[in-house]
């Protein structure tokens, strides 16, 4: 007698209370019936092609059952058709993550202990006929995938996971809607079609298994990408140096701040995992892209991950677009590759000697710089212990790795323009609204935005802000290319500059400098003469340079690389001696130059300090030259010209004094000529050529600093050996020039004493003093200046 078709009974209403998703997601069923020729879910291309579906593993063990499954463990007593109908009914619930009667949770499953992101494992009753078991166990992984993906969507939709995670969850949720629509259609077929079977169910869902398995593997990797708490204890305790500096400035020490933060974070959702930074931003995009590359041979995986990459990358691309087109960093969850240090503003440019505003206001989160392959460790989070990636926004997507410096610079350039009060409008070109990272047009857009930002700022600096005339005025005032104003100024201020530097009136000197500049100003210098200011240095030139070299070693030189400690000890001894005698105004005199933003980016305190060092070096040489020249005028008087053949010892003394003065004057003039004609002028011409061809603002900044560093190096102000030789020689020459009046007085005394009966009794003392000067000068020339001679010979052929 034939068995009537089995009609499944209706589920009790209590079962529906266990649904984890809203009823709206499960009632999305088409109004029309299923077309047997072409079912509606077959039209969904993302679930049709699955060439790798054979990779789905099956479960062969028969676990023990618990709960109501024990009461119904009698499937082997039922006909095969009824077993199939009961299992079909259970499978429709299991595919939505709900436990069935004969298909139940794994015995080891515990909702309290198990990680929901791993998914729920299901097992089928052991009494099921073996002909059906194999097919059922192939379908069961769908329930695990669905529950894991649903848990991932619920967790990663939290606000703190950022916009990229939100966009990824939205894209996966759209794909799950297709899956839920498929389940609704399968349920409708189960309830209305007598021919619906387990084989048909497998035929309809097997393409979906591969698709959901790909999503499951992705979300599982994202969920487990963070370090475990045990592995990350060390990285969690190591606080960022930049944050420590800010916290200390705010009055928080480490323990107090952590206590406050722990109180604030009580009750919040833990989104950071073990490393302290959530998997978000560029790190999420990197995971998706690498999976797409690794599975590029699978058409389904390539299409799926391409779709997810485009959807998840949309907010990232939007933030990038705002940054490179307006210079505004709109990154509330710290997902972008660019980081802003808000506590650094342009106000520090007036006293910043490290270019901190330009270098550290906006930086890359991975710590890399365009000028070097090394990473700046300050502010860079430690990499993940498992994957080795930098966490969060510090992980730059592989597609943008080659563009990261242009992205940073484009926004920095526009931000400078905004800081000048020039508002930059948002781009209105709607053709670039749907750009994605895998689109070639996106990188064309990046290149165009970078070129526009660079060209705009260069035009602002070179044309609107008159950078080139500014640099020419710096050359004139600091390098003394046309130093008639300086001669006039030194003549006017001679009496004031002879005073100790601590009591010199800078206001009086400033008035005298303005008078000299107004008398001598012409051409472009008229525009910028008011920006030149007089200042008094706190330490001597050579003392300051030796201190720098002792701390940092030879700046750009080869000699004395390992003299840091020894040089530092000698510097302390020399400093103690110099403290006994205060500096004169001539030794402490320096010029300053005032510029406004954005020119202060190029002519920063860092570069003005270099200009000041070169100016003080040239000024000292000029002052010694002028002193020795005035000594020659003194030596044209009668005591020096009156012949005394009867006193040959005195005449030899006069001749030795004149010869020593001439040698000193020749030495100073040769050094001055070498510095100006062989170093400063050729390097300035080379800088002008570079400025005519400059294409980027960063290149302009580098060329300017390189020009000054080259001048300092070729003037031999970066080597401790040469600096010591310089200082001894120049001090000897300047001290000898101060003896012009005493020497003339001594000559008069010698002439007068020679006419007395006692004769010239002070000749021995005069010879002794002169001998000390000759010994110091000759020793410095012959011994200490051997490296100087070698350096001069090596520089001249290169020029």
């Amino acid at each position: 007698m034939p068995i009537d078709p089995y009609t499944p009974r209706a589920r009790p209403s209590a079962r529906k209370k266990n649904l984890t998703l809203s009823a709206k997601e499960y009632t999305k069923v088409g109004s029309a019936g299923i077309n047997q020729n072409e079912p509606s879910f077959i039209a969904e291309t993302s679930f049709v092609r699955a060439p790798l579906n054979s990779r789905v593993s099956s479960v062969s063990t028969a676990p023990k059952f618990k709960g109501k499954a024990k009461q119904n463990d009698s499937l082997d007593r039922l006909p095969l058709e009824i077993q199939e109908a009961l299992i079909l009914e259970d499978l429709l619930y299991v595919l939505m993550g709900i436990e069935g009667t004969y298909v139940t949770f794994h015995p080891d499953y515990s909702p309290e202990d198990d990680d929901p992101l791993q998914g729920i494992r299901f097992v089928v009753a052991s009494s099921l006929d073996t002909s059906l078991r194999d097919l059922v166990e192939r379908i069961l992984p769908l329930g695990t995938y669905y529950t894991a993906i649903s848990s991932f969507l619920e967790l990663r939709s939290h606000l703190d996971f950022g916009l990229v995670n939100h966009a990824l969850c939205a894209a996966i949720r759209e794909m799950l809607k297709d899956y839920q629509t498929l389940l609704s259609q399968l349920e409708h077929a189960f309830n209305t079609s007598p021919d619906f079977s387990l084989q048909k169910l497998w035929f309809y869902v097997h393409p979906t298994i591969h698709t959901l398995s790909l999503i499951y593997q992705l979300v599982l990797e994202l969920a487990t990408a963070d370090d475990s708490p045990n592995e990350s204890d060390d990285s969690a305790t190591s606080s960022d140096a930049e944050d420590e500096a800010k916290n200390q400035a705010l009055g928080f020490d480490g323990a107090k701040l952590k206590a406050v933060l722990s109180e604030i974070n009580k009750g919040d959702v833990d989104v950071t995992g073990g490393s302290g930074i959530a998997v978000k931003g560029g790190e999420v995009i990197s995971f998706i892209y690498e999976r797409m590359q690794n599975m590029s041979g699978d058409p389904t995986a390539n299409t799926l991950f391409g779709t997810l990459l485009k959807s998840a990358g949309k907010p990232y691309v939007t933030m990038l677009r705002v940054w490179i087109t307006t210079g505004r960093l709109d990154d509330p969850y710290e997902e972008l590759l660019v980081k802003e240090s808000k506590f650094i503003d342009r106000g520090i440019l007036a006293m910043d000697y490290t270019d901190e505003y330009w270098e550290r206001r906006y930086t890359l989160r991975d710590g890399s710089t365009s000028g070097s392959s090394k990473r700046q460790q300050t502010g860079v989070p430690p990499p993940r212990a498992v994957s080795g990636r930098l966490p969060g926004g510090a992980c730059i997507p592989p597609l943008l790795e080659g563009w990261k410096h242009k992205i940073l610079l484009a926004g920095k350039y526009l931000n400078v323009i905004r800081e000048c009060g020039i508002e930059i409008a948002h781009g209105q070109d709607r053709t670039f609204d749907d750009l994605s990272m895998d689109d070639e047009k996106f990188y064309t857009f990046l290149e165009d935005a970078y070129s526009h930002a660079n060209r705009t700022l260069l035009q602002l600096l070179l044309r609107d802000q008159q950078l080139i005339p500014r640099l020419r005025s710096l050359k004139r005032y600091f390098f003394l290319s046309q130093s008639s104003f300086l001669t006039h100024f030194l003549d006017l201020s001679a009496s004031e500059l002879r005073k100790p530097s601590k009591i010199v009136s800078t206001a009086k000197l400033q008035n005298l400098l303005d008078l000299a500049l107004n008398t001598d100003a012409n051409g472009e210098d008229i525009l910028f003469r008011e920006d030149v200011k007089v200042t008094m240095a706190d330490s001597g030139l050579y003392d300051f340079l030796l201190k720098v070299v002792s701390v940092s070693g030879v700046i750009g030189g080869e000699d004395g690389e390992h003299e840091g400690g020894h040089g530092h000890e000698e510097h302390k001894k020399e400093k103690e001696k110099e403290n006994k005698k205060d500096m004169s105004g001539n030794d402490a005199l320096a010029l300053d130059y005032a510029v406004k933003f954005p020119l202060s980016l190029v002519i920063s305190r860092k570069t003005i300090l270099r200009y000041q060092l070169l100016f003080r070096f040239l000024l000292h040489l000029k002052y010694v030259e002028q002193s020795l020249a005035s000594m020659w005028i003194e030596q044209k008087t009668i005591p020096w010209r009156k012949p005394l053949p009867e006193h040959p010892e005195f005449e030899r003394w006069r001749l030795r004094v004149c010869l020593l003065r001439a040698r000193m004057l020749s030495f100073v003039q040769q050094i001055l000529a070498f510095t100006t004609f062989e170093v400063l002028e050729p390097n300035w011409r080379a800088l002008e050529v570079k400025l005519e061809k400059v294409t980027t603002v960063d290149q302009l900044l580098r060329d300017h600093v390189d020009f000054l560093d080259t001048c300092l190096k070729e003037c031999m102000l970066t080597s401790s050996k040469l600096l010591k030789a310089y200082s001894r020689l120049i001090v000897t020459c300047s001290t000898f020039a101060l003896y012009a009046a005493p020497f003339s007085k001594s000559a008069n005394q010698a002439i007068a004493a020679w006419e007395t009966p006692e004769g010239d009794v002070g000749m021995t003392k005069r010879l002794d003093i002169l001998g000390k000067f000759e010994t110091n000068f000759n020793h410095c020339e012959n011994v200490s200046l051997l490296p100087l001679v070698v350096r001069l010979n090596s520089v001249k052929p290169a020029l």
Side-chain angles (χ1 to χ4, degrees):
M1 184 175 180
I3 300 176
D4 296 334
Y6 174 75
T7 304
R9 57 185 174 81
R11 287 276 179 174
S13 58
R15 167 72 66 180
K16 295 185 179 180
K17 294 181 180 179
N18 296 326
L19 294 178
T20 58
L21 299 179
S22 63
K24 183 178 179 181
E25 292 177 319
Y26 289 100
T27 55
K28 187 177 179 183
V29 182
S31 58
I34 298 178
N35 186 351
Q36 296 296 330
N37 296 327
E38 187 179 359
S40 60
F41 50 84
I42 293 295
E44 301 293 337
T45 58
S46 61
F47 299 120
V48 172
R49 301 186 182 91
L52 305 182
N53 57 45
S54 61
R55 296 184 181 180
V56 179
S57 61
S58 60
V59 181
S60 59
T61 59
K64 297 180 181 180
F65 295 93
K66 58 183 180 179
K68 58 185 177 181
K70 292 183 178 179
Q71 303 174 5
N72 299 282
D73 194 9
S74 57
L75 286 175
D76 53 350
R77 301 177 183 178
L78 299 176
L80 193 60
E81 292 83 356
I82 296 179
Q83 288 186 36
E84 183 178 6
L86 291 173
I87 290 298
L88 275 173
E89 185 182 18
D90 268 8
L91 282 176
L92 290 175
Y93 282 93
V94 168
L95 294 181
M96 294 187 295
I98 305 170
E99 186 181 19
T101 303
Y102 301 100
V103 182
T104 59
F105 296 150
H106 194 277
D108 297 334
Y109 171 71
S110 171
E112 294 80 12
D113 300 333
D114 291 355
D115 184 6
L117 294 176
Q118 298 288 337
I120 302 173
R121 288 188 297 163
F122 295 90
V123 292
V124 66
S126 59
S127 58
L128 181 65
D129 189 271
T130 55
S131 62
L132 300 176
R133 176 183 297 279
D134 180 66
L135 209 53
V136 172
E137 289 178 346
R138 293 185 190 181
I139 300 174
L140 286 183
L142 270 177
T144 303
Y145 300 156
Y146 181 79
T147 53
I149 295 170
S150 299
S151 299
F152 177 84
L153 296 180
E154 183 179 355
L155 175 64
R156 294 301 167 112
S157 296
H158 191 276
L159 197 64
D160 293 337
F161 277 100
L163 300 177
V164 174
N165 271 314
H166 296 171
L168 175 63
C169 291
I172 296 177
R173 196 174 286 113
E174 284 296 321
M175 295 179 179
L176 285 188
K177 285 182 180 180
D178 297 337
Y179 173 73
Q180 292 159 5
T181 302
L182 171 64
L183 294 184
S184 300
Q185 293 170 340
L186 291 174
E187 184 181 13
H188 177 74
F190 171 72
N191 289 327
T192 58
S193 174
D195 299 329
F196 190 77
S197 63
L198 190 60
Q199 190 65 39
K200 285 188 176 181
L201 176 66
W202 167 248
F203 173 76
Y204 291 136
V205 300
H206 88 270
T208 310
I209 291 179
H210 180 52
T211 303
L212 285 191
S213 71
L214 293 173
I215 301 176
Y216 172 74
Q217 292 166 12
L218 174 64
V219 301
L220 192 62
E221 186 177 11
L222 290 173
T224 58
D226 204 356
D227 308 332
S228 63
N230 292 334
E231 293 173 344
S232 61
D233 284 343
D234 296 337
S235 62
T237 55
S238 60
S239 57
D240 183 87
E242 183 180 356
D243 292 338
E244 285 182 357
K246 291 188 288 184
N247 298 335
Q248 189 174 5
L250 293 172
F252 290 107
D253 59 9
K256 291 180 180 179
L257 185 65
K258 289 180 180 178
V260 172
L261 293 179
S262 63
E263 291 295 328
I264 293 175
N265 293 331
K266 280 184 178 178
D268 291 347
V269 178
D270 182 17
V271 300
T272 60
S275 69
I277 299 179
V279 181
K280 60 182 179 180
E283 191 176 7
V284 175
I285 296 174
S286 297
F287 273 113
I288 300 173
Y289 177 76
E290 289 181 7
R291 279 205 160 267
M292 184 175 71
Q293 292 297 107
N294 294 336
M295 305 187 72
S296 57
D298 183 353
T300 303
N302 199 42
T303 303
L304 172 68
F305 291 128
T307 303
L308 293 179
L309 179 66
K310 184 174 182 179
S311 300
K314 185 169 291 187
Y316 198 91
V317 170
T318 301
M319 289 186 287
L320 272 183
R321 183 180 176 188
V322 173
W323 167 247
I324 64 177
T325 56
T326 66
R328 298 181 186 275
L329 189 60
D330 185 12
D331 184 17
Y333 303 106
E334 299 182 351
E335 301 174 272
L336 205 59
L337 72 166
V338 179
K339 176 178 68 173
E340 178 184 10
S341 299
K342 294 184 178 180
F343 66 96
I344 299 176
D345 56 26
R346 69 175 186 176
I348 68 172
L349 285 171
M351 53 183 177
D352 175 31
Y353 285 85
T354 60
D355 281 352
E356 192 173 46
Y357 177 82
W358 181 255
E359 297 292 340
R360 294 183 57 195
R361 172 69 187 275
Y362 293 102
T363 55
L364 292 173
R365 291 189 186 275
D366 68 347
S368 61
T369 59
S370 58
S372 172
S373 59
K374 297 180 180 179
R375 298 183 185 273
Q376 300 173 350
Q377 295 303 320
T378 304
V380 180
R384 307 279 188 198
V386 177
S387 63
R389 287 189 183 92
L390 292 174
C395 181
I396 298 178
L399 287 166
L400 298 177
E401 183 66 31
W403 293 85
K404 59 183 180 181
H405 297 300
K406 287 190 175 182
I407 291 171
L408 172 66
L409 294 177
K412 283 174 68 173
Y413 296 160
L414 294 180
N415 185 265
V416 170
I417 296 172
R418 277 200 312 109
E419 291 280 353
C420 296
I422 303 173
E423 190 61 32
I424 303 168
H426 287 269
Q428 300 296 325
D429 192 354
R430 296 297 179 184
T431 58
F432 296 106
D433 283 350
D434 296 329
L435 289 177
S436 61
M437 291 188 190
D438 56 350
D439 189 353
E440 191 66 31
K441 293 181 180 179
F442 174 66
Y443 300 99
T444 304
F445 174 72
L446 285 181
E447 185 64 39
D448 293 342
Y450 169 75
S451 300
H452 171 73
N454 182 62
R455 186 170 55 252
T456 304
L457 182 56
L458 267 181
Q459 181 177 358
L460 177 68
L461 291 173
L462 296 176
R463 297 182 184 177
D464 300 347
Q465 298 294 329
Q466 296 180 306
L467 177 62
I468 303 299
R470 285 275 185 180
L471 294 179
R472 286 175 183 157
S473 70
L474 278 169
K475 175 177 177 286
R476 177 173 186 253
Y477 296 132
F478 286 85
F479 292 171
L480 310 180
S481 61
Q482 298 173 0
S483 58
S484 56
F485 82 92
L486 181 67
T487 305
H488 189 193
F489 170 66
L490 292 178
D491 291 340
L492 293 174
S493 59
S495 60
E496 189 71 22
L497 291 176
R498 281 194 288 267
K499 298 178 182 178
S501 60
K502 293 182 179 179
I503 62 173
V504 171
S505 173
T506 54
K508 182 177 180 180
L509 291 179
Q510 183 64 50
N511 291 333
L512 293 176
L513 178 64
D514 293 339
L515 178 61
L517 290 176
N518 290 332
T519 304
D520 190 49
N522 57 76
E524 294 177 341
D525 297 330
I526 300 177
L527 301 176
F528 311 120
R529 66 182 186 275
E530 295 180 356
D531 296 329
V532 183
K533 307 296 180 183
V534 173
T535 182
M536 303 302 290
D538 297 328
S539 59
L541 170 65
Y542 301 107
D543 176 66
F544 178 80
L545 288 171
L546 281 172
K547 182 169 62 175
V548 173
V549 172
S550 299
V551 173
S552 59
V554 180
I555 307 171
E558 300 85 3
D559 299 328
E561 282 185 356
H562 307 288
E563 297 179 353
H566 181 67
H568 189 58
E569 292 177 0
E570 290 189 0
H571 160 69
K572 285 183 177 179
K573 295 179 182 178
E574 293 175 4
K575 181 66 177 177
E576 290 175 359
K577 294 179 181 179
E578 290 181 5
N579 284 339
K580 298 177 182 179
K581 184 181 179 181
D582 198 6
M583 284 192 305
S584 67
N586 285 303
D587 294 330
L589 178 65
L591 295 183
D592 201 355
Y593 199 82
V595 290
K596 296 181 179 180
F597 191 83
L599 279 178
S600 54
L601 293 174
V602 182
I603 310 173
S604 62
R605 298 308 309 172
K606 186 177 179 179
T607 57
I608 288 178
L609 176 62
R610 289 167 165 82
Y611 278 109
Q612 287 177 332
L613 293 176
L614 289 167
F615 168 77
R616 293 183 65 189
F617 175 63
L618 293 172
L619 178 64
H620 201 186
L621 291 176
K622 282 277 188 182
Y623 173 71
V624 174
E625 181 192 22
Q626 189 179 38
S627 301
L628 291 172
S630 62
M631 188 177 183
W632 173 77
I633 298 175
E634 181 75 22
Q635 290 176 355
K636 291 179 68 176
T637 57
I638 294 176
W640 294 94
R641 300 296 179 181
K642 182 179 180 180
L644 290 174
E646 63 279 4
H647 195 349
E649 192 176 9
F650 174 69
E651 287 201 342
R652 283 196 300 271
W653 176 82
R654 288 191 307 188
L655 181 61
R656 285 170 61 186
V657 171
C658 293
L659 287 176
L660 182 59
R661 177 199 57 78
R663 287 174 57 200
M664 288 182 175
L665 181 60
S666 176
F667 167 76
V668 172
Q669 289 175 339
Q670 290 297 324
I671 292 294
L672 195 58
F674 169 76
T675 302
T676 53
F677 293 108
E678 300 292 341
V679 176
L680 297 180
E681 197 63 32
N683 282 298
W684 170 256
R685 297 302 177 193
L687 177 64
E688 284 187 323
V689 173
K690 291 180 180 179
L691 292 181
E692 291 176 358
K693 302 177 181 179
V694 71
T695 56
T696 66
V697 177
D698 267 65
Q699 181 183 348
L700 177 113
L701 297 177
R702 285 196 302 271
D703 289 343
H704 186 217
V705 174
D706 289 346
F707 157 72
L708 294 172
D709 288 342
T710 303
C711 290
L712 284 170
K713 181 180 178 181
E714 294 185 359
C715 287
M716 293 158 285
L717 299 179
T718 57
S719 169
S720 59
K721 287 184 178 180
L722 297 179
L723 277 174
K724 291 171 186 175
Y726 263 140
S727 59
R728 290 169 185 168
L729 278 169
I730 299 301
V731 168
T732 301
C733 294
S734 59
T735 307
F736 182 78
L738 294 176
Y739 272 74
F743 278 151
S744 296
K745 182 179 179 181
S746 180
N748 284 321
Q749 290 175 351
I751 294 173
W754 180 254
E755 296 174 354
T756 62
E758 293 82 6
D760 188 7
V761 294
M763 195 64 208
T764 304
K765 184 178 179 180
R766 283 192 291 274
L767 291 173
D768 183 54
I769 294 174
L770 178 60
K772 289 181 180 179
F773 278 112
E774 289 177 334
T775 301
N776 287 333
F777 188 72
N778 293 335
H779 177 75
C780 290
E781 270 192 319
N782 299 330
V783 179
S784 300
L785 282 186
L786 286 178
L788 173 60
V789 175
V790 175
R791 184 65 61 88
L792 289 174
N793 290 333
S794 64
V795 170
K796 284 183 177 180
L799 294 174

